[in-house]
Every structure is written in C-alpha cells, then in structure tokens.
Amino acid sequence: MTTTIDSPVMTAAGTERATDRLTAVLLGPDARREHGFWQRLIATEPFRRPTVPPPGPTPDERLALAHARLRTLNNTLDSGARLAADPRALAALHEWLAPVDPSLATVAGIHYNLFLGSLLDHDADRPRDLSDFLAMRRIGTFLCTEVAHGNDAAAVETTATYDRARDGFVLHTPHLGAQKFMPNTSPAGGPKSGLVAARLLVGDTDHGVFLLLVPLTDSSRALPGVRIRRLPARMGSPVDHCLTSFDQVFVGREALLGGRQGRIDDDGVFRSGTAGRRRRFLASIGRVTTGRICMSASAIGSARATLAIAVRYSGHRYVSGGRALPPLAVIAHRSHHGPLAGAMATVFAMSLLHRRALGRWEAAAQGPAPEREAAGRLVDIAKGWITWQARSVIVECRERCGAQGLLENNGMSELVTGVEGAITAEGDNMAIHAKAASELVISAMPDAPDAWGVTGPDAGPRTGDLDDLRFLGRLLAHVERIQFARSRARMARAPHGGPLKRWNAGSGPALRGVEAHACRQAAEAYADAVEGLPEGPARDRLTDLARLFALRWVQHHSGDLLVAGHLTAGQVEDLTETTERLVAAVAAHLPELAESFALPEEVLADWPIAGARYAEAYDDPGASWHTGERPVPAGRGR
C-alpha cells in the first residue's frame, strides 16, 4: 500500500508541540506510516464533500459516489492485496474514511477485509486469480447473515450440495428465512461477486458452514439463479442492503474456500483437520475479528470528528452574556463545556483501548491458543464498548450544536445514525459482550489466576491516592472482580432449571463486569501513555484526561468500592469536587485537544459550522442585506 505521503502529525519545522505529542498518543508511535496516507487522501478533491445546492444528492447518487471513490482509492494503492493483508492499514482506512463518507468506508471494508482478506487467508497452497478484484473490474461482497440467522450465523441454512458428477456445488436457498440479509449485493457500482456462507453437504453428511466464491451480478442485473431485492431504506449511510437468494446455482469445486478447516480433494472426498462444525465455521469467517477492529476504528474516527466540530462551533457560536454584558461563546458555560470535556476524556480512552486491543491481537496471532483467545476476546470487548461510547459522544456533540447539528451539510447527522451500524455489524454488541462475560466469569473463578492484579502478595494497599493513575486502574479492577463475584453468587443461588436460568440470574452483573473490564483496560492504557511522555504540557493534558476518565467510572461504582474497603468515606466525599476541578482543567484546553485529532483543515472546511464564518453557508445573494440594507455580522446572535 502507498504510504509515502507526508502526514500532518508533525509541524513543518519538525519540532514537536504538545499537540503533536498528543496526536502520537492517539495514533501510535508510527503515525506517519500508519495514518499519513489516509489523512492526505480524504483531503484531496475526489473525497471532499460535494458542493451542491439543497436538498443535496439522493441516496442512490451518494451510493454511486461511494463506489466511484472506491475505484479512485483502489487506483492510489500499490496493491489492494497488501492492504487486505494489513490489519493496521484496514483499521486506519476506517478511522479516516468513516467520518467523511460512511458509505465508502462500508463498501471498502467489505471488499478489502471480508472479501479479499478471506480469499487471501484460505487456499494458500492453491492461489487463485484475484486480478479482477484487485483491478476492481468486479467488486467483492460478503453474504453470511440470513433473515433468520444473525448472531447464530453458524446455523445458516443456505446449502451447498456437492455434485460429484459435475465436480462442483449446487447453491440453494431452501426457504424465506435463509435469504441472505446483507449490504452491497445489488448491481449498484458494477459487477459483483460474493463470498457466500453455506452449509456444505456431501452425500448425507453436513460438514458445517463454509464460504464459497459466487458471481452475483453483471453490470446491470443479477446472474441466472440469483435473486436480489433491495431492502427498505435503513438509517444511516446509504448502502444497497438487499435480500439475496439462490435457486440451484452451480459453481465449480474451486469456489469452495478451503484450508485446514476442510476441502473436497480431487477424489471427491471431504477432508478436514479441524474437528467440529462450529470450529470449521469460525475458521472460515476468521476475518470477522479484523472487521470488529475496523468497526471500533470507524466509531473512533466518527466520534473524533463530531467532537472536533462541536468544540470549534462552541467557540464561535455566541449567545447573550446577560444585561450590559457582551455576547459570550457558548463554550464559556459549564453546562456546555462540561459534557464536551467528558467526551474528550472518553474519546482518548476509546483510541487508547483500540490500539491496545489491536496490538495484543497482532502479537498473539502466532502464539498459543489461550493467548489468541484472550486477545480475540479483548477485541470483542473493545468493539462493543468503543461503539457504545461513540454513540454517547456523537449524540452529546450533536445536541451541543443544536439545530445546526441536525443538518447533513454539517457532518454530524449521518454519523449519529451511522454509528448504529457499527454497533450491530460484525456481531451485535450485546451478543459478543454476553459471550465475553460468560468466559470471564469462568476465568475469574476463585481458583483461577488473578486476572486483575488485585490479590496476592504484590497487590499493594487496599486504598491509595486518587491522584495515582495506577491506583485508579486497580479500583476499576476491583469493580470488575466485585461484579463477576456477584454474578457467580447469583448463578449459584439460582433455582434448578438448566444453564439458561443460571445465566439469566448472573448475566446482569457479568455484563457490568465486562464494562468494568473495558474501562480498566482503557485506564491502564492511559497510564502507560502518560508514563511514556516527558514532563511538560502534553503529559499534563493527558494526565488530566486520564484522571477525569477513571474518576467518572470510579464515582459510578463508589458505593461498592466503599463497602469493600477500597475507598474511604473521605475519598468518596471528595470525588465530586475532584471531578469538577478536572472538568475545568480539561475544558480550558479543549481547542488544543481537538487539534490533536489531526483532522485535515480541508475536511473541516467542508463542514460549515466548523468555521467561524459558518453563517455564510446560508447567505442569500438576492436578499435585502445585499441590496442596500446593513448586513448582520456572521456568527452573532441566535
């Protein structure tokens, strides 16, 4: 992938400012290589917001623009295959494209990660010709979810029956519940092929769900045997979500994506090195984990963009200052800057947790199974927590911008609804958090190794200083331990009735334990980042953010921590005052902190309220102020 374009992470003179150091905290130590290309790309003309008079482009026109941009993007790459093989590059793609064109981020993520990535991951010993997909003569898509099967995708009912005589598979949709319920499968954007998840039937044996490469459309219509119908319009960015079904569609044996999980050999016999249909399915859809990383990145990029807009707008949106006082920028009010300060602490936490999860997942890729499972679980937890936090941040920022934040041209409204897609995509948040909760409840049993560093001879004192970031991290670890212990106790007391009744009894505190786990991981990542900075303004800013983030969560659980002896009554009494002081400290530097997001000025210029002269976007050349009457200064009054 091309990565030689300079990044705006450093000042022109090459000297670091506090803002530059904070940018490096957000984007990582190799920010120029990892993010510079995408930062510059979204600032170029093909990716700028089109300037058209109201009411703007239709959903179909916006979808066509997304596909045109996808081809432009592809033409800038050294290799689409290199991008597909690089999880960090895929995450960065989503981090920067999602705020400016969510539809583009969606179709690009499907093509490069789920489609090309899956093709590259399988059949390594039998390389297939990918030239049509790398040149974008055909766009790739991914069909797993069905009308009746989403989070239980291992139970999909589309079938792929091996036909020994023709040495291939007959793909079929047996009933309405087995219709594929997925985006980007219509002819919109050009000819498409899909990776279709189907149940592999050989003779009388069901070998589980595998992926098959299936041509879906030409440039204008579905291919014979393939039926594609558009679903009703969905909230958020316009993508062609469709129902796709198959009527006895034949594909050759090479269509099956094989590997250790299984393949049909030349003798027509199915062989697999993976025991169990569920394990085979998980091996087939392994790219979903990268997809969850990308959903986190999309949410982070969108939250940063909305927060940057809200901070800038609040600095040049004026309201009456009261009797005999000049107008005040709305950011002067505690009721306005307080929520933005909290959002800033959360956005930094989201970014740090994302980078921690991505790093651990990469490090564990070739390690033993327990390490891979733990790293994958952290990716899952991070995806759920980050996308939920992004929704809260985006909604808060939109509200701080009033009616202006509802207008599409100001960049927020599409992100308000778009984050809902990230919450659901690649596994619904609640489902993946419930799975993580059940695993952590077991791993946190009394005889299991201490997962939090809060027991044993090196656990440290029961109480500590609220200025100490490591102590705040231990407090969140205690919350985690308390919640999982509470879950186990409730399950033990549950009346007999099978595992579902036991889980229902303990799932509430278990899920709260997962939330505490995410917060604790983010707090630890904050502490690591602070310790990695030299003394100076950047470290001071980051310390304030870290303490504000952790103390808000500690305050939420202060009752449990007080009862358990981890906080004193005096500390609980001090929490509100300490938090308020931190809000004021963070609010004083909100513009500087928003600048650290490194959003290109060209992109910010496309959102009118991000500029002090935002009112000029609504100018009327034929109005009275252009025909003799005195104009009203832009940005003054309501």
Side-chain angles (χ1 to χ4, degrees):
M1 189 185 75
T2 301
T3 55
T4 56
I5 300 176
D6 288 340
S7 164
V9 168
M10 297 290 291
T11 59
T15 58
E16 284 191 307
R17 304 171 297 158
T19 301
D20 300 323
R21 292 189 185 279
L22 292 172
T23 300
V25 167
L26 287 168
L27 303 183
D30 201 10
R32 186 183 299 276
R33 183 198 68 80
E34 195 171 325
H35 294 273
F37 171 74
W38 304 107
Q39 288 172 301
R40 284 293 300 271
L41 186 74
I42 63 174
T44 60
E45 189 59 37
F47 298 89
R48 298 283 299 278
R49 184 175 292 272
T51 55
V52 295
T58 67
D60 283 346
E61 289 169 340
R62 290 163 65 194
L63 179 58
L65 176 62
H67 281 109
R69 286 172 167 173
L70 178 64
R71 287 186 163 80
T72 301
L73 184 161
N74 196 66
N75 290 338
T76 68
L77 300 175
D78 292 339
S79 167
R82 284 182 59 194
L83 171 59
D86 185 346
R88 286 189 176 271
L90 288 168
L93 176 156
H94 286 79
E95 204 165 328
W96 296 98
L97 294 187
V100 298
D101 190 340
S103 298
L104 172 60
T106 297
V107 297
I110 293 171
H111 179 80
Y112 291 111
N113 176 48
L114 293 175
F115 182 81
L116 272 178
S118 295
L119 287 171
L120 292 169
D121 289 349
H122 296 87
D123 290 328
D125 57 335
R126 300 181 184 181
R128 59 179 81 228
D129 182 7
L130 302 179
S131 57
D132 281 349
F133 309 118
L134 294 174
M136 205 82 50
R137 290 186 291 270
R138 295 192 71 83
I139 294 173
T141 189
F142 192 84
L143 295 88
C144 186
T145 297
E146 296 177 352
V147 172
H149 301 288
N151 292 312
D152 65 335
V156 298
E157 296 179 82
T158 300
T159 58
T161 304
Y162 181 58
D163 184 331
R164 184 181 296 270
R166 291 187 288 175
D167 194 23
F169 304 94
V170 177
L171 205 65
H172 189 64
T173 304
H175 56 78
L176 65 89
Q179 296 175 97
K180 294 298 181 182
F181 191 85
M182 297 292 288
N184 203 33
T185 60
S186 80
K192 291 178 184 168
S193 293
L195 292 180
V196 180
R199 193 161 294 285
L200 182 62
L201 306 178
V202 181
D204 296 328
T205 305
D206 177 350
H207 293 288
V209 177
F210 287 75
L211 297 178
L212 293 95
L213 177 59
V214 183
L216 300 176
T217 78
D218 58 22
S219 59
S220 60
R221 61 181 60 84
L223 296 177
V226 181
R227 183 168 174 80
I228 300 172
R229 297 180 296 142
R230 291 285 285 265
L231 283 162
R234 68 177 284 269
M235 61 191 300
S237 54
V239 180
D240 53 330
H241 286 75
C242 299
L243 293 168
T244 306
S245 59
F246 305 93
D247 183 9
Q248 307 293 333
V249 175
F250 179 80
V251 292
R253 177 159 57 95
E254 70 281 357
L256 180 69
L257 270 64
R260 180 175 173 77
Q261 73 271 24
R263 59 163 32 103
I264 304 290
D265 286 328
D266 293 339
D267 57 4
V269 175
F270 175 82
R271 293 180 174 86
S272 174
T274 302
R277 290 185 295 188
R278 179 168 179 78
R279 288 182 179 273
R280 293 170 190 162
F281 168 71
L282 293 175
S284 294
I285 64 162
R287 275 285 163 156
V288 168
T289 300
T290 308
R292 289 173 181 165
I293 291 169
C294 292
M295 291 303 99
S296 294
S298 289
I300 290 165
S302 298
R304 282 191 203 137
T306 52
L307 182 53
I309 295 169
V311 168
R312 289 170 70 113
Y313 181 57
S314 65
H316 53 243
R317 175 68 168 181
Y318 285 82
V319 294
S320 173
R323 184 178 301 176
L325 293 175
L328 287 173
V330 293
I331 200 171
H333 290 277
R334 173 64 178 79
S335 57
H336 196 95
H337 66 239
L340 295 181
M344 187 66 72
T346 299
V347 165
F348 267 78
M350 291 158 53
S351 302
L352 289 165
L353 178 58
H354 166 66
R355 303 201 70 77
R356 168 175 277 214
L358 174 55
R360 289 191 176 178
W361 184 70
E362 285 184 318
Q366 304 303 320
E371 290 183 11
R372 295 197 306 272
E373 291 170 3
R377 182 165 56 243
L378 181 58
V379 167
D380 292 352
I381 292 171
K383 184 263 183 182
W385 188 83
I386 287 169
T387 55
W388 271 326
Q389 295 302 310
R391 175 168 61 188
S392 296
V393 167
I394 292 168
V395 169
E396 183 67 62
C397 291
R398 200 295 306 160
E399 187 176 349
R400 298 280 64 74
C401 293
Q404 296 278 0
L406 294 171
L407 300 176
E408 286 187 357
N409 68 324
N410 284 321
M412 288 185 172
S413 62
E414 192 171 40
L415 302 182
V416 169
T417 52
V419 73
E420 300 292 343
I423 286 169
T424 297
E426 315 295 10
D428 285 292
N429 282 0
M430 187 57 72
I432 61 176
H433 268 213
K435 178 177 179 291
S438 65
E439 293 169 352
L440 286 174
V441 164
I442 294 171
S443 69
M445 294 297 283
D447 59 347
D450 177 33
W452 305 282
V454 296
T455 62
D458 300 321
R462 284 180 69 80
T463 59
D465 190 337
L466 292 179
D467 289 335
D468 181 354
L469 292 178
R470 293 298 179 187
F471 172 63
L472 296 179
R474 288 198 299 275
L475 289 178
L476 293 174
H478 285 302
V479 172
E480 191 176 347
R481 177 181 57 80
I482 289 167
Q483 294 293 351
F484 286 128
R486 192 170 286 161
S487 174
R488 292 195 303 274
R490 285 188 57 79
M491 286 191 284
R493 294 195 305 267
H496 296 296
L500 178 60
K501 284 193 175 181
R502 290 195 298 274
W503 174 244
N504 284 343
S507 61
L511 287 166
R512 290 189 288 274
V514 169
E515 180 182 54
H517 182 86
C519 293
R520 189 259 299 177
Q521 292 280 351
E524 288 180 359
Y526 250 136
D528 289 345
V530 167
E531 291 168 4
L533 289 176
E535 295 291 338
R539 182 165 179 154
D540 293 342
R541 300 293 88 77
L542 194 64
T543 300
D544 288 342
L545 287 166
R547 290 185 64 219
L548 178 59
F549 168 78
L551 283 172
R552 291 173 78 201
W553 286 99
V554 166
Q555 190 169 28
H556 186 64
H557 296 282
S558 57
D560 283 338
L561 292 167
L562 176 64
V563 169
H566 303 302
L567 284 177
T568 67
Q571 287 174 321
V572 173
E573 181 69 23
D574 288 343
L575 280 173
T576 297
E577 181 61 29
T578 303
T579 301
E580 288 296 321
R581 287 199 300 268
L582 286 167
V583 166
V586 170
H589 299 280
L590 281 172
E592 172 192 357
L593 294 168
E595 185 184 349
S596 73
F597 297 166
L599 283 161
E601 282 299 322
E602 295 89 342
V603 172
L604 289 166
D606 287 338
W607 296 318
I609 60 172
R613 301 170 68 89
Y614 68 91
E616 294 180 3
Y618 308 103
D619 199 3
D620 181 356
S624 60
W625 54 86
H626 285 299
T627 59
E629 294 189 12
R630 187 176 180 179
V632 176
R636 292 291 190 266
R638 292 193 73 87

